[in-house]
Amino acid sequence: MAEFSWETRGPLDRALVTGRHGAQGDAGVSLTEIRDFDLVQVMARRGKAGEMAEAAQVRFGVAGPETPKAVGTADATLIWSGPDQFMVLSKGGKHTMESLAPVFASCASLSDQSHARVLISISGAKARAMLAKLSSIDLHSDVFGVGAAAATSMDHTSVTLWRGADRDGQVVFNLLVFATFAESLWHTMLDSAAEYGVAIGHSVEL
């Protein structure tokens, strides 16, 4: 009988090649895959949005965002994902499906998205210009400031996009995409950023 061995591979394992891509010189865009995170979607049951907000306040010290934005806490980020729902992004097993289930048992339904989504950090002087090729959202700082979020599409692919804190004086955007579409969107972003030069990496840090 033939023996089979299974190798666990991430959605971007074939596509992500660390190093430089596109135009030479200083990279205008950095693309980084962030791995090993917990992601739980919290969706209020009918008539329970207020109770869900109170439960989130007790757990995280802040209520889940009611408008398109991302709210950082001491050990998690709460990201608006639609009316009366948000996602909890964290690391280190602090806010897993199992640990959050008792918190929201009476008011919300939970869905573990930890292995269903790919998280990509997009930064650099030309990050906004690259994203503008793929999205119709106005990403100017006056409109889409730090903490702003959107459930939108990029190149016909559904994504959750939010702006993180600037890093080394450069704008930072974070993007969650369904794992099955991640490789296709990754190649699209590489092509869109090639003229600016791209630095590619992967990290386990949020």
Side-chain angles (χ1 to χ4, degrees):
M1 179 181 229
E3 293 186 5
F4 295 93
S5 62
W6 299 96
E7 179 183 356
T8 302
R9 301 184 65 179
L12 290 180
D13 279 1
R14 292 187 306 173
L16 193 156
V17 179
T18 58
R20 292 296 303 271
H21 176 84
Q24 299 302 304
D26 294 336
V29 177
S30 293
L31 296 177
T32 304
E33 182 191 8
I34 299 175
R35 299 180 175 182
D36 301 327
F37 57 85
D38 294 304
L39 184 68
V40 179
Q41 184 146 9
V42 182
M43 300 159 284
R45 299 193 184 117
R46 183 174 297 178
K48 297 287 187 176
E51 187 177 335
M52 181 185 72
E54 292 176 2
Q57 182 75 46
V58 172
R59 175 73 177 196
F60 303 107
V62 296
E66 297 179 353
T67 58
K69 63 181 180 180
V71 180
T73 73
D75 54 13
T77 302
L78 310 186
I79 310 153
W80 181 90
S81 57
D84 298 331
Q85 60 182 285
F86 62 93
M87 289 184 282
V88 180
L89 176 64
S90 63
K91 189 174 175 63
K94 295 179 180 179
H95 301 293
T96 63
M97 180 84 166
E98 292 74 18
S99 66
L100 291 179
V103 177
F104 296 102
S106 65
C107 58
S109 299
L110 307 185
S111 174
D112 191 345
Q113 297 291 306
S114 304
H115 300 291
R117 310 283 184 113
V118 171
L119 176 58
I120 300 170
S121 175
I122 306 160
S123 60
K126 295 295 184 178
R128 189 180 285 107
M130 183 274 285
L131 289 171
K133 297 181 181 182
L134 306 175
S135 172
S136 60
I137 292 178
D138 186 350
L139 298 175
H140 192 280
S141 293
D142 291 344
V143 178
F144 205 83
V146 173
T152 184
S153 64
M154 292 177 58
D155 193 41
H156 308 291
T157 301
S158 296
V159 300
T160 300
L161 179 71
W162 74 99
R163 185 172 165 189
D166 292 355
R167 183 169 58 241
D168 299 326
Q170 300 290 346
V171 66
V172 176
F173 295 94
N174 300 294
L175 183 149
L176 281 166
V177 57
F178 284 106
T180 49
F181 298 103
E183 184 173 343
S184 175
L185 184 59
W186 180 265
H187 285 301
T188 299
M189 289 194 294
L190 282 183
D191 290 343
S192 298
E195 66 172 299
Y196 310 121
V198 191
I200 304 169
H202 57 74
S203 169
V204 297
E205 299 298 327
L206 281 174

